[in-house]
Amino acid sequence: MAVCARLCGVVHSRGCQQRQPSGGGSETELEEGGRAERVEVQPAPRGPRTLLQLPPELLVEIFSCLPGTELPPLALVCRKFRQILSTDTIWRRRCKQEYGVHENLRKLEVTGVSCQEVYVKRINPRVKSGRFMRILPDYEHMSHRDVYTGLLHQYRDILGLWQPDLGPYGGLLNVVVDGFFIIGWMYLPPHDPHVDEPMRLKPVFRIHLMEKKSATVECMYGPKGPHSGQIQMVKKDEFCTKCLQTDYHRMSGGRQEEFRTWLRDDLGRTLDDIFHEHMQELILMKFIYICQYDNCLTYRRIYHPPSRPDDLLKPGFFKGTYGSHGLEIVMLSFHGTIGKATKITGDPNVPAGQPTVEIDLTRPVRLPPLEHLRNIDELSRLIMDIHEQINREQRLAGREEEAAGVQEEEPVQEPPPPLKTKNRQVDGRGEQQPPDLQVFALPDEVLARNEDYPRSCRMCFFGTGLIAGHGFSSPERTPGLFILFDDDRFGFIWLELKSFSLYSRMRDKFQNSQPPSLEAFDEMLKAMQLWTT
């Protein structure tokens, strides 16, 4: 065995490296000093191979597949692992797979456009070319590990959808990873009454690495460009932002110039466009209220509504017309036989967080012929008959429960199948409609901010709308008609107000916004009502 070990060039403990036939031991003749010697050779033991025995390039591939949170403990195992985990390829893949970062730190090119052009034109349009190099992050001396640990992982808890605590006005903030930045985009509805136009995005804050391992938070409010700010996690699903240089928010012309700029940028109007005195009061009140929060603002997490196969249409966020209050954002969700449109942005009458419209999917409404539909009295009679029937059923159920002395759970009814007509109809424009559509037209006395609504609909249901006085005083639910036009548009007729709201789907894609469970989404809806009550 000693001779065999010398020939293999290994110590005795590692066994023989000669190729051996499969099976048990064998005998081999060796010539030593002119004398044949028969030596019995046993097969080398095969122990389990460890990660330390793998080549570095294979370890890089293995570590690249692990979540970034699992990598720091691996660096403490041994010196080899620590050296492998300093490879930028591993962290570049983690940044891409977990946070969608596609840019290359070593190559300042993004889809054929230089990082300088992207930074100047998209992130900070007010930066002059001469100042660019002074404020551009030092990417050449930065690694993807620095980006992952100092930026993405550190601020991962603020990614997703949030509602700002702006009293009754609310809002919708989407915090996303944008290149090597984390940016909070505020979603503003299009200018009233163009409900079908896309949303407008306004940056509120941004976070990036100006130094190798130190993240910088910047406030984006005001006309003077980015300036110093702070972000603090208050508690789970809640954070606040603070501006440290509020003088950047001020304009040389004072509040009057700020009001004109806000009116033009946020509402797309000028002072000369506002003739109605009540509308002037509402707009001025909103500006004064929002200005109180330019220093510190709190955000609470909200979720995208979950979808079920039997939903009437795909849940999501919609923008809708609300008379003098302009366009507002609502969230449509379904809960069994009930559909809810919850306000994400609100007004002094019905604030954000309240269920503005509720739909009873067990009460389909068959529209009358077009000539009768033009009469508000005919539509009111149709809706009020259903309303009275619901009240009678509720009173009867209450008496039965009181007599029995037991609170019984009401059986859940499945929503009825879509109503279909047998023959094609002709709408008000003389065009034929498919048999599954109903001709639709607003009654003559109903006011609509946007007259460009569809002249045919799929289905209609009885619903209720929430109305209230100023300051959400004396809130009550009043009967109305829910109209489903197509997958992306619906409407609601407020009978008592003789008003029509048209809603159009927001087509923006939201990441990190799905609720962890149906229960978590329902709890969020309940909490939203309490925030502004």
Side-chain angles (χ1 to χ4, degrees), residues 275-288:
F275 301 103
H276 198 281
E277 184 177 352
H278 178 60
M279 185 178 294
Q280 292 177 359
E281 294 177 356
L282 292 174
I283 292 176
L284 183 59
M285 183 188 308
K286 183 176 182 179
F287 172 74
I288 295 174

Side-chain angles (χ1 to χ4, degrees), residues 398-417:
R399 285 196 295 267
E400 290 177 351
E401 291 175 359
E402 185 178 353
V406 178
Q407 184 75 21
E408 296 181 356
E409 185 176 352
E410 209 174 296
V412 178
Q413 302 182 29
E414 294 295 330

Side-chain angles (χ1 to χ4, degrees), residues 103-104 107-122:
E103 286 80 357
N104 193 332
K107 185 179 180 182
L108 295 182
E109 297 291 330
V110 185
T111 61
V113 181
S114 70
C115 268
Q116 176 172 346
E117 293 175 342
V118 173
Y119 187 87
V120 172
K121 295 180 180 179
R122 179 169 59 87

Side-chain angles (χ1 to χ4, degrees), residues 22 35 215 226 256 288 297 339 343 356 361 363 400 527:
S22 60
R35 181 175 59 86
Q256 195 171 21
I288 295 174
L297 195 57
K343 279 195 171 186
T356 176
L361 298 177
R363 310 284 177 174
E400 290 177 351

Side-chain angles (χ1 to χ4, degrees), residues 337-392:
T337 59
I338 299 295
K340 292 183 180 181
T342 304
K343 279 195 171 186
I344 301 300
T345 61
D347 52 68
N349 291 79
V350 179
Q354 300 300 322
T356 176
V357 172
E358 290 192 356
I359 316 153
D360 189 343
L361 298 177
T362 66
R363 310 284 177 174
V365 177
R366 188 64 169 161
L367 294 179
L370 186 60
E371 58 273 14
H372 294 159
L373 187 59
R374 291 288 188 182
N375 189 342
I376 184 64
D377 295 332
E378 183 70 19
L379 182 62
S380 297
R381 182 192 59 79
L382 187 64
I383 299 301
M384 294 309 296
D385 286 347
I386 300 177
H387 184 56
E388 289 299 327
Q389 180 184 355
I390 294 175
N391 289 338
R392 287 195 299 270

Side-chain angles (χ1 to χ4, degrees), residues 318-500:
F318 292 76
K319 44 197 183 297
T321 56
Y322 277 88
S324 300
H325 298 294
L327 299 188
E328 297 184 13
I329 303 173
V330 302
M331 176 176 61
L332 181 67
S333 58
F334 293 95
H335 312 264
T337 59
I338 299 295
K340 292 183 180 181
T342 304
K343 279 195 171 186
I344 301 300
T345 61
D347 52 68
N349 291 79
V350 179
Q354 300 300 322
T356 176
V357 172
E358 290 192 356
I359 316 153
D360 189 343
L361 298 177
T362 66
R363 310 284 177 174
V365 177
R366 188 64 169 161
L367 294 179
L370 186 60
E371 58 273 14
H372 294 159
L373 187 59
R374 291 288 188 182
N375 189 342
I376 184 64
D377 295 332
E378 183 70 19
L379 182 62
S380 297
R381 182 192 59 79
L382 187 64
I383 299 301
M384 294 309 296
D385 286 347
I386 300 177
H387 184 56
E388 289 299 327
Q389 180 184 355
I390 294 175
N391 289 338
R392 287 195 299 270
E393 293 175 358
Q394 291 176 347
R395 288 194 298 267
L396 180 60
R399 285 196 295 267
E400 290 177 351
E401 291 175 359
E402 185 178 353
V406 178
Q407 184 75 21
E408 296 181 356
E409 185 176 352
E410 209 174 296
V412 178
Q413 302 182 29
E414 294 295 330
L419 298 177
K420 295 187 178 182
T421 56
K422 295 182 180 180
N423 302 314
R424 289 182 178 269
Q425 304 182 53
V426 179
D427 64 8
R429 299 175 180 174
E431 299 177 354
Q432 283 192 337
Q433 301 298 325
D436 59 343
L437 297 180
Q438 302 181 59
V439 174
F440 176 78
L442 284 177
D444 295 331
E445 298 182 31
V446 174
L447 299 177
R449 295 285 295 174
N450 192 328
E451 294 288 346
D452 189 21
Y453 60 88
R455 265 45 179 190
S456 62
C457 64
R458 292 181 181 176
M459 303 179 72
C460 296
F461 293 92
F462 173 85
T464 59
L466 183 62
I467 62 175
H470 186 81
F472 198 42
S473 60
S474 305
E476 61 174 325
R477 305 209 67 87
T478 61
L481 179 67
F482 172 85
I483 310 106
L484 175 62
F485 294 116
D486 51 44
D487 291 337
D488 297 321
R489 289 176 296 179
F490 65 88
F492 189 79
I493 297 178
W494 311 73
L495 285 183
E496 184 171 333
L497 303 178
K498 293 184 179 179
S499 176
F500 172 72

